[in-house]
């Protein structure tokens, strides 16, 4: 029974349709795995009642022969998504006890297509972090280990990555503002795609940095990512930044044929001090794609080095404003007040108690860069850099490049707590290969293609043209087939 | 169309201890957009609903909720811009103005700092006696209103009503072209009139649907002209902004008292500090709103939840084509078409309902001038006495037009017409039928009048002798004849016949 949770979405879909298994069985298998995975701390709010009800309904739909691809498929949902009547806290103390009266567009669409929700997944607080160590629920733990050394699953979608890698669920939702899907996917040996900005509705997703946030799937392989992304995508009139562009069936794009595709290798991504094994992984990826018939070309994205600083101005600026609503007035945590305390004390105490240190740091940075006298020097300059970064990509794509291949992360997963005393900038460097994609609003996918010397998974990133997720997924599919990544973490939890 | 030309009025001058001072005033008028739903949510804008009943999730700043622009509010801002002869910006954008307050659930107000939807325009503000001020409009932008904090319901708690949160406002920003308290009030009145004509704001100041922030500074005579030539603000004094005024009377009083405060400071050798102030009507004084330590830094930045607002020229053209008549145009037409005085035309166009009513009276009676007299003097006087609005008027334009038509035809005298008006006003009915049925018709038959005249002359020989010496006494005979005929004799005919008989 428990083996069922190891299924991929496409496999389970076919077995469900063939009536070899039921969603009820599949769901019970996953619920049992979730139950037994407390040490991973991936699931933070379990919803077995909802899961069983949805599974029952899915089985009825399947019996009637009316089953969309996700019908009966058990998923985990990142805590950043608002799910009606279910705790949705963005892993923050300030949203303690918050159960929204509404369902996010993404989960609404997944449920429309028959998906089963097992529960809510751990993450960095307000999606701010690269190690899932800023969560009010405590660290999520990577199912991959380095001997007995406990590793981070990455962040911010660390719970999603850990849950999928550990086969607690068949797939999970993630969100990606600077790499929060792709970096944890790489750290846990799974696939994660951040679609083009505007492809997936942000309505009902707790905002971190609105101009950068995009939701996407985290799955066991590229096909599953294509299936889930098809369901999650689409124009939403409730999100003004959502694009009214038709959504193709992304799975149908997976031919594996990339003959004649032009794959760009950006020279600026070859960083000083990049570990040899990352360099090697990247070269191997290029070779695999060349062998599959693609043309590998050297390209330049000259403003890359300014991306990280620009990102760490823009994202905190937006966050400082987006997080202003957490004031203790209407929902979530409110500090108990002393005699004589007024509204200012209520704000100060509530926010000091409710927000963790990393969130406070970013709110402070964001407030600073938007303040009178500094706005032009920081925020406006960062916006100009952002425009230049986007232009870099536009110019490369204009030369006929179909996709860009880069490492996903500068290293494999690091140990939990190891960065505790490091300069926060050391942690921000995790995003060095991924933030440009968010700044430019492009689709990016991370897929596992190899291991480091300690046997930990490593991933490569492919960056695609805007709205060409189908083509991007197909390139990733080809690379996935060539890489033959089959590793699974040994169960220890 | 009549070209209305006016002279600029003299600026208000305040005599100080060290000489004369002039006032320089600019206004930021906040007008609530007339629309059923809020600027970025589908929640109702209805005034007077149960507290916190007109609140969408986005209005309450719930996590993950997003704003979506209400097209009708955009159309209303465009209409207002066109009504103020202003430039319409086909691309505008929304910004966030960040500050903490419990009645601002998002922690920011969505506004348009950098790229407003409406650019430069102008308004003609008539001030009587053939004078008018042209006030330049700098911009109009769309923004969200805040909610209402209530601090006086409980000794230890404050309450918040979010019904108003997110309702669309137009902020209409003028240039510092206003030169006195009366001009400021007249300017607000003119904006109110134009927006009511356009249907873009109901102008209800009592409900706070129209309120103004007033910027006041003082300068020496001649300095303003230097500013005008150069547009260099250094020629003007330091300004203070008096916030949130919702009465014409308070606007005027506040400007006056603030100007005098500034003059006193300067004449004492001090300097005016640029700041935001509140007007206290009870004490008739302005006072500083916040100390420097609490000065807000609003950290404006483009709202990342909204794409730039792009509108089509064709859409603007369509709105322009269906804008309806503006008060200035209507006034000009009343003057040119009906020969009305500037004053009468102003009175009749002050409110659109008045103008519509008046045109109904003209349509029935065919006499604009007579209709204007009757509407302004008789009807408005009567309505005022009854404390009734024209919209609840018991006499229809058709009925009043009927009365005026009877006067114009010479069927009834002015005096009878007043009686007839009263009958129709209180009892209703068709004026012509009433005149017929009650025998109110004027006697124009000269033979019948002559008979009455002869009778009066025969009965009053002594008066006849006096009248022959002093023709002014002929009026006494006229009165007698009118009395004898129950007021129905045509006064012109009576006059003529008596003059002939007495003189002859």
């Amino acid at each position: 029974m428990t083996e069922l949770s190891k299924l991929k979405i496409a496999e389970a879909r076919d077995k469900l349709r063939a009536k070899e298994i039921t969603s009820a069985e599949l769901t019970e298998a996953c619920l049992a795995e979730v139950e037994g995975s407390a040490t991973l701390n991936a699931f933070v709010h379990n919803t077995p009642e909802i899961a069983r009800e949805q599974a029952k309904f899915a089985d009825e739909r399947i019996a009637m022969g009316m089953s969309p691809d996700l019908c009966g498929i058990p998923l985990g949902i990142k805590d950043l998504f608002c799910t009606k009547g279910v705790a949705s806290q963005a892993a923050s103390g300030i949203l303690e006890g918050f159960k929204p009266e509404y369902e996010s567009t993404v989960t609404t669409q997944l449920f429309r297509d028959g998906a089963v929700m097992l529960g809510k997944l751990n993450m960095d607080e307000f999606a701010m972090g690269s190690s899932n160590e800023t969560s009010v629920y405590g660290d999520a733990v990577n199912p991959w280990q380095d001997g007995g050394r406990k590793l981070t699953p990455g962040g911010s979608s660390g719970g999603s990555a850990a849950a999928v890698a550990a086969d607690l669920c068949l797939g999970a939702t993630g969100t990606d503002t600077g790499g929060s899907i792709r970096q944890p996917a790489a750290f846990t040996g799974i696939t994660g795609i951040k679609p083009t900005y505007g492809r997936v509705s942000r309505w009902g997703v707790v905002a971190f940095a609105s101009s950068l946030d995009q939701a996407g799937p985290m799955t066991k392989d590229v096909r599953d990512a294509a299936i889930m992304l098809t369901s999650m995508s689409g124009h939403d009139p409730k999100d003004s930044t959502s694009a009214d562009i038709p959504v193709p069936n992304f799975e149908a794009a997976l031919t594996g044929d990339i003959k004649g595709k032009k794959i760009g290798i950006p020279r600026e991504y070859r960083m000083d001090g990049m570990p040899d094994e990352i360099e090697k992984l990247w070269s191997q990826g290029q070779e695999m794609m060349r062998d599959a018939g693609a043309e590998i070309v050297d390209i330049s994205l000259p403003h890359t080095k300014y991306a990280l600083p620009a990102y760490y101005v823009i994202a905190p600026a937006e966050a400082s404003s987006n997080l202003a609503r957490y004031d203790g007035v209407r929902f979530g945590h409110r500090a108990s007040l002393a005699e004589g305390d007024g509204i200012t004390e209520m704000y100060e105490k509530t926010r000091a108690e409710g927000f963790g240190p990393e969130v406070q740091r970013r709110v402070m940075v964001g407030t600073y860069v938007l303040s009178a006298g500094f706005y032009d020097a920081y925020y406006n300059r960062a916006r100009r850099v952002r425009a230049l970064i986007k232009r870099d990509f536009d110019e490369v794509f204009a030369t006929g490049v179909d996709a860009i291949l880069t490492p996903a992360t500068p290293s494999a997963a690091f140990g939990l707590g190891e960065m505790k005393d490091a300069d926060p900038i050391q942690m921000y460097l995790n995003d060095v290969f991924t933030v440009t994609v968010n700044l430019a609003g492009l689709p990016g996918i991370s897929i596992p293609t190899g291991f480091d010397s300690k046997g930990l998974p490593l991933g490569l990133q492919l960056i695609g043209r805007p709205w060409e997720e189908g083509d991007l997924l197909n390139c990733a599919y080809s690379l996935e087939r060539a890489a033959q990544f089959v590793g699974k973490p040994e169960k220890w939890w | 169309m009549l070209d209305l030309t006016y002279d600029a009025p003299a600026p208000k001058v305040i005599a100080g201890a060290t000489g004369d001072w002039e006032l320089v005033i600019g206004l930021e008028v906040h007008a609530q957009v007339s629309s059923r739903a809020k600027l970025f949510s589908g929640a109702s804008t209805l005034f007077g609903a149960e507290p916190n009943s007109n609140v969408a999730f986005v209005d309450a700043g719930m996590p993950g909720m997003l704003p979506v622009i209400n097209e009708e509010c955009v159309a209303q801002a465009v209409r207002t811009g066109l009504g103020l002869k202003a430039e319409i910006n086909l691309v505008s954008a929304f910004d966030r103005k960040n500050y903490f307050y419990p009645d601002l659930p998002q922690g920011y107000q969505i506004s348009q700092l950098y790229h407003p939807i409406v650019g430069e325009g102008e308004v003609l503000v008539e001030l009587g006696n053939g004078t008018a001020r042209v006030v330049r409009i700098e911009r109009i932008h769309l923004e969200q209103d805040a909610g209402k904090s209530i601090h006086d319901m409980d000794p230890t708690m404050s309450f918040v009503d979010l019904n108003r949160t997110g309702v669309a406002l137009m902020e209409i920003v003028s240039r510092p072209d206003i030169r006195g308290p009366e001009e400021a009030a007249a300017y607000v009145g003119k904006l109110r009139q134009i927006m009511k004509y356009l249907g873009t704001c109901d102008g209800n100041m009592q409900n706070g649907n129209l309120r103004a922030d007033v910027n006041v500074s003082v300068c020496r005579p001649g300095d303003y002209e230097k500013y005008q030539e150069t547009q260099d603000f250094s020629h003007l004094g330091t300004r203070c902004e008096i916030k949130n005024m919702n009465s014409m009377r308070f606007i005027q009083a506040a400007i006056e008292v603030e100007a005098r405060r500034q003059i006193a400071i300067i004449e004492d050798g001090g300097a005016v500090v640029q700041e935001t102030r509140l007007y206290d009507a009870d004490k008739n004084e302005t006072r500083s709103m916040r100390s420097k330590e609490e000065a807000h830094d609003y950290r404006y930045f483009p709202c990342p939840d909204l794409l730039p607002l792009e509108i089509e020229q064709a859409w603007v053209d369509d709105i322009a084509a269906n804008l309806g008549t503006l008060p200035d145009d209507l006034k000009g037409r009343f003057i040119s078409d009906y020969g009305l005085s500037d004053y009468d035309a102003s009175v009749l166009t002050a409110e659109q309902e008045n103008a519509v009513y008046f045109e109904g009276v003209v349509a029935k009676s065919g006499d604009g001038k007579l209709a204007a007299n009757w509407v302004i003097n008789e009807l408005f006087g009567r309505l005022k006495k009854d404390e009734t609005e024209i919209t609840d008027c018991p006499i229809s334009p058709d009925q009043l037009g009927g009365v005026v038509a009877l006067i114009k035809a010479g069927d009834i005298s002015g005096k009878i017409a007043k009686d007839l008006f009263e009958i129709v006003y209180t009892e209703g009915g068709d004026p012509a039928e009433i005149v017929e049925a009650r025998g109110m018709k004027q006697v124009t038959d000269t033979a019948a009048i002559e008979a009455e005249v002869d009778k009066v002359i025969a009965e009053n020989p002594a008066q006849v002798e006096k009248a022959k010496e002093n023709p002014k006494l002929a009026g006494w005979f006229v009165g007698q004849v009118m009395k004898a005929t129950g007021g129905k004799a045509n006064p012109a005919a009576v006059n003529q016949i008596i003059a002939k008989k007495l003189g002859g």
Side-chain angles (χ1 to χ4, degrees):
Chain A
M1 275 287 272
T2 54
E3 291 296 302
L4 286 179
S5 74
K6 293 200 163 86
L7 290 175
K8 291 174 184 170
I9 291 172
E11 294 167 349
R13 169 192 61 187
D14 298 343
K15 286 182 187 295
L16 285 164
R17 284 182 181 160
K19 316 271 164 55
E20 289 172 32
I21 57 168
T22 64
S23 175
E25 291 165 356
L26 184 59
T27 300
E28 288 304 331
C30 289
L31 286 172
E33 287 299 315
V34 170
E35 198 64 34
S37 67
T39 49
L40 293 179
N41 201 23
F43 277 90
V44 289
H45 298 288
N46 299 351
T47 56
E49 295 83 8
I50 292 172
R52 289 186 178 114
E53 200 170 311
Q54 287 175 330
K56 188 166 164 263
F57 181 55
D59 280 331
E60 287 167 14
R61 286 173 78 176
I62 294 165
M64 288 188 291
M66 291 167 15
S67 59
D69 284 344
L70 287 174
C71 198
I73 304 294
L75 303 175
I77 305 298
K78 189 176 182 179
D79 201 35
L80 203 64
F81 292 83
C82 288
T83 43
K84 192 172 180 178
V86 174
S88 306
Q89 275 185 240
S92 179
I94 206 139
L95 276 169
E96 191 185 337
F98 179 65
K99 292 183 178 176
E101 289 295 315
Y102 43 89
E103 188 73 49
S104 79
T105 297
V106 165
T107 44
T108 299
Q109 292 183 183
L110 290 171
F111 298 158
R112 171 201 66 197
D113 292 342
V116 171
M117 176 170 73
L118 298 168
K120 303 299 282 288
L121 292 163
N122 206 347
M123 54 180 280
D124 279 300
E125 184 180 6
F126 281 104
M128 297 176 189
S130 304
S131 63
N132 209 129
E133 292 173 298
T134 69
S135 167
V136 74
Y137 309 118
D139 304 348
V141 181
N142 197 330
W144 293 85
Q145 274 189 312
D146 173 23
R149 182 170 156 249
K150 283 208 171 117
L151 304 176
T152 172
S156 68
S157 310
S160 304
V164 173
D167 289 325
L168 311 182
C169 53
L170 275 64
T173 61
T175 62
D176 190 317
T177 304
S180 282
I181 286 175
R182 291 158 289 159
Q183 182 253 22
F187 276 12
T188 56
I190 66 165
T191 298
I193 180 168
K194 180 206 90 77
T196 313
Y197 184 80
R199 180 62 101 178
V200 174
S201 171
R202 294 185 297 112
W203 194 86
V205 184
V206 175
F208 163 14
S210 313
S211 75
L212 300 159
D213 297 344
Q214 266 295 286
M218 300 177 73
T219 55
K220 297 173 189 178
D221 69 3
V222 173
R223 180 173 302 278
D224 285 4
I227 293 170
M228 252 184 97
L229 183 60
T230 306
S231 174
M232 293 168 75
S233 299
H235 178 235
D236 179 4
K238 291 188 287 190
D239 174 1
S240 305
T241 62
S242 148
D244 194 0
I245 290 177
V247 180
N249 180 346
F250 293 122
E251 192 186 5
L254 306 182
T255 61
D257 179 7
I258 59 162
K259 278 193 198 74
K261 293 277 178 201
K262 231 167 154 177
I263 306 298
I265 309 299
R267 66 181 76 111
E268 291 80 6
Y269 282 58
R270 191 158 285 113
M271 303 279 176
D272 283 344
M274 188 154 86
D276 287 345
E277 46 200 19
I278 298 291
E279 182 81 49
K280 204 176 119 201
L281 182 84
W282 194 9
S283 308
Q284 285 169 346
Q286 294 171 40
E287 271 162 43
M288 287 183 240
M289 296 196 83
R290 188 183 291 118
D291 291 348
E295 182 192 347
I296 305 298
V297 294
D298 180 50
I299 60 165
S300 174
L301 297 165
H303 296 93
T304 300
K305 66 178 167 201
Y306 304 114
L308 207 56
Y311 174 85
Y312 276 97
V313 169
I314 290 169
E318 293 183 14
S320 70
S321 176
N322 283 335
L323 268 55
R325 65 188 58 198
Y326 306 106
D327 56 7
V329 174
R330 299 167 313 285
F331 47 77
H333 178 72
R334 180 192 289 182
S336 43
L337 301 180
E339 190 70 32
D341 278 356
I343 186 69
T344 307
E345 289 76 17
M346 183 174 120
Y347 288 149
E348 288 174 355
K349 291 184 179 178
T350 297
R351 289 165 68 82
E353 290 172 11
F355 290 139
E358 182 60 27
V359 170
Q360 291 189 25
R361 177 176 6 257
R362 297 203 197 187
V363 167
M364 303 267 275
V365 168
T367 304
Y368 179 79
V369 298
L370 288 177
S371 61
F374 298 105
Y375 181 85
D376 282 327
Y378 292 104
Y379 184 74
N380 256 346
R381 185 174 292 187
R383 283 181 78 199
R384 286 202 299 276
V385 168
R386 183 178 188 174
L388 292 172
I389 286 166
K390 185 171 184 311
R391 203 182 64 188
D392 283 355
F393 281 106
D394 289 345
E395 285 173 0
V396 162
F397 288 129
T399 65
V401 166
D402 294 288
I404 296 162
L405 182 71
T406 79
T409 58
S411 71
F414 48 89
L416 284 166
E418 282 174 12
M419 301 279 277
K420 200 160 267 169
D421 301 320
D423 185 324
I425 292 168
Q426 284 304 311
M427 187 67 95
Y428 299 166
L429 283 170
N430 268 288
D431 303 330
V432 69
F433 299 126
T434 47
V435 287
T436 52
V437 176
N438 299 79
L439 288 170
L442 300 171
I445 187 168
S446 165
I447 55 162
T449 59
F451 296 93
D452 76 350
S453 56
K454 294 169 185 162
L456 298 176
L458 293 171
L460 286 176
Q461 170 179 241
L462 279 161
I463 303 165
R465 298 164 177 270
W467 314 114
E468 297 291 346
E469 287 90 348
D471 203 39
L472 177 68
L473 283 158
N474 187 42
C475 289
Y477 181 59
S478 165
L479 186 57
E480 175 186 74
R481 289 208 301 195
Q484 295 284 327
F485 182 93
V486 287
K488 278 277 181 187
E490 204 172 310
K491 187 166 175 180
W492 55 267
W493 54 90
Chain B
M1 196 70 44
L2 203 70
D3 191 17
L4 301 170
T5 51
Y6 298 92
D7 295 326
K12 163 102 179 176
V13 174
I14 295 177
T18 60
D20 282 351
W21 296 90
E22 286 182 7
L23 275 60
V24 179
I25 301 156
L27 272 80
E28 292 164 23
V29 171
H30 298 261
Q32 181 178 323
V33 172
S34 294
S35 69
R36 277 177 310 181
K38 295 182 178 181
L39 183 53
F40 297 114
S41 85
S44 165
T45 58
L46 206 66
F47 181 81
E50 276 290 298
N52 295 310
S53 59
N54 293 343
V55 187
F57 289 130
V58 69
D59 303 324
M62 300 302 276
M65 294 296 95
L66 298 171
V68 176
I69 186 80
N70 176 348
E71 187 180 312
E72 179 55 18
C73 295
V74 178
Q76 292 289 54
V78 169
R79 275 184 201 108
T80 305
L82 292 169
L84 301 181
K85 299 178 173 50
E87 179 191 350
I88 305 299
N89 294 323
L90 296 181
V91 179
S92 61
F94 290 97
D95 305 294
R96 290 186 186 175
K97 175 181 181 177
N98 296 281
Y99 65 95
F100 283 94
Y101 208 68
D103 60 23
L104 187 77
Q106 296 171 128
Y108 51 83
Q109 175 196 36
I110 304 179
S111 181
Q112 295 190 302
L113 176 68
Y114 298 111
H115 304 284
I117 182 156
V118 178
E120 295 191 337
E122 62 175 44
V123 190
L124 182 76
V125 184
E126 297 98 323
L127 295 154
N129 302 321
T131 63
R133 180 76 70 195
V134 175
V135 177
R136 292 169 300 159
I137 302 295
E138 184 185 319
R139 56 189 277 152
I140 304 175
H141 62 256
L142 278 167
E143 63 184 25
Q144 296 178 298
D145 205 347
K148 196 165 82 177
S149 293
I150 304 147
H151 302 296
D152 54 4
M153 270 173 68
D154 184 283
T156 59
M157 283 190 284
S158 287
F159 294 90
V160 176
D161 178 4
L162 300 181
N163 280 351
R164 206 174 193 122
T165 304
V167 166
L169 298 178
M170 294 176 281
E171 182 172 328
I172 306 168
V173 182
S174 85
R175 299 277 183 197
D177 292 353
I178 298 161
R179 307 300 313 281
E182 299 77 17
E183 286 184 31
Y187 165 74
V188 174
K190 189 59 185 276
L191 288 183
R192 182 174 177 271
Q193 181 195 30
I194 292 170
M195 289 189 288
K196 285 187 73 177
Y197 265 71
L198 295 169
T200 59
C201 171
D202 69 11
N204 188 330
M205 295 186 84
Q206 214 166 4
N207 290 353
N209 296 354
L210 187 69
R211 26 196 223 266
D213 300 341
V214 185
N215 287 282
V216 181
S217 68
V218 295
C219 65
R220 291 294 190 182
D223 286 346
Y224 186 79
E225 287 69 22
K226 287 180 201 156
Y227 154 71
Q228 271 189 316
E229 274 169 35
T230 58
Q231 293 296 308
D232 177 355
F233 287 99
S234 68
H235 295 295
L236 303 179
T238 303
R239 69 190 151 89
C240 288
E241 182 179 16
I242 315 164
K243 279 274 186 203
N244 225 13
M245 318 273 296
N246 67 344
S247 128
M248 301 281 196
R249 200 157 57 82
F250 292 167
I251 289 174
Q252 297 185 60
I255 292 172
E256 179 90 28
V257 71
E258 173 61 17
R260 289 185 186 278
R261 184 189 72 89
Q262 293 181 11
I263 292 166
I265 290 172
I266 301 166
E267 292 194 331
D268 278 355
V272 175
V273 180
Q274 186 174 334
E275 62 179 354
T276 308
R277 301 179 69 84
L278 272 184
Y279 175 66
D280 182 334
D282 293 333
K283 295 182 180 159
N284 191 34
E285 63 178 29
T286 65
R287 55 169 179 268
S288 187
M289 240 174 110
R290 50 179 89 97
S291 65
K292 208 165 187 179
E293 310 81 88
E294 286 174 32
H296 277 144
D297 179 351
Y298 291 122
R299 291 168 283 124
Y300 277 100
F301 77 107
C303 181
D305 285 330
L306 293 160
L307 299 173
L309 177 61
E310 293 180 32
I311 54 177
E312 305 270 334
Q313 185 60 51
W315 187 68
V316 175
D317 293 345
D318 190 51
I319 289 173
N322 295 293
L323 206 56
T325 310
L326 288 163
D328 282 355
D329 296 338
L330 195 59
K331 180 179 156 183
R333 187 161 66 73
F334 282 4
I335 293 171
S336 63
D337 287 7
Y338 307 133
L340 302 190
S341 69
D342 189 298
Y343 177 81
D344 283 357
S346 289
V347 172
L348 290 170
T349 54
E351 304 279 347
Q352 195 166 24
E353 294 84 1
N354 294 349
V356 169
Y357 189 100
F358 164 71
E359 294 232 87
V361 177
V362 176
K364 177 77 177 179
S365 66
D367 190 324
K369 253 183 158 161
L370 204 53
N373 284 338
W374 274 82
V375 170
I376 294 170
N377 299 320
E378 297 305 321
L379 180 68
F380 288 175
R382 191 69 213 306
L383 291 174
K384 196 170 177 189
K385 196 176 131 201
D386 284 2
E387 291 175 1
T388 304
E389 296 297 319
I390 190 133
T391 41
D392 300 323
C393 180
I395 179 168
S396 73
D398 215 43
Q399 286 173 308
L400 183 56
V403 174
V404 175
L406 289 167
I407 303 168
K408 184 178 160 68
D411 287 347
I412 55 170
S413 67
K415 187 183 173 300
I416 291 287
K418 288 186 187 183
D419 296 342
L420 177 60
F421 172 79
E422 191 58 29
I423 293 166
V424 179
Y425 188 92
T426 49
E427 299 170 25
D430 178 62
E433 281 171 19
I434 293 168
V435 164
E436 205 60 53
R438 305 194 188 183
M440 296 166 81
K441 204 157 187 178
Q442 189 160 251
V443 179
T444 45
D445 174 355
T446 40
I449 295 171
E450 236 179 289
E452 285 296 335
V453 171
D454 288 344
K455 207 173 141 197
V456 173
I457 287 175
E459 283 168 5
N460 299 283
Q463 296 288 348
V464 173
E465 286 313 307
K466 282 183 191 167
K468 281 184 173 167
E469 284 163 27
N470 181 4
K472 280 181 185 164
L473 290 177
W476 183 84
F477 288 90
V478 176
Q480 291 301 308
V481 172
M482 294 306 283
K483 204 169 163 184
T485 58
K488 286 182 283 183
N490 183 325
V494 175
N495 271 320
Q496 203 184 359
I497 292 164
I498 287 175
K500 195 174 81 190
K501 298 256 173 188
L502 293 177

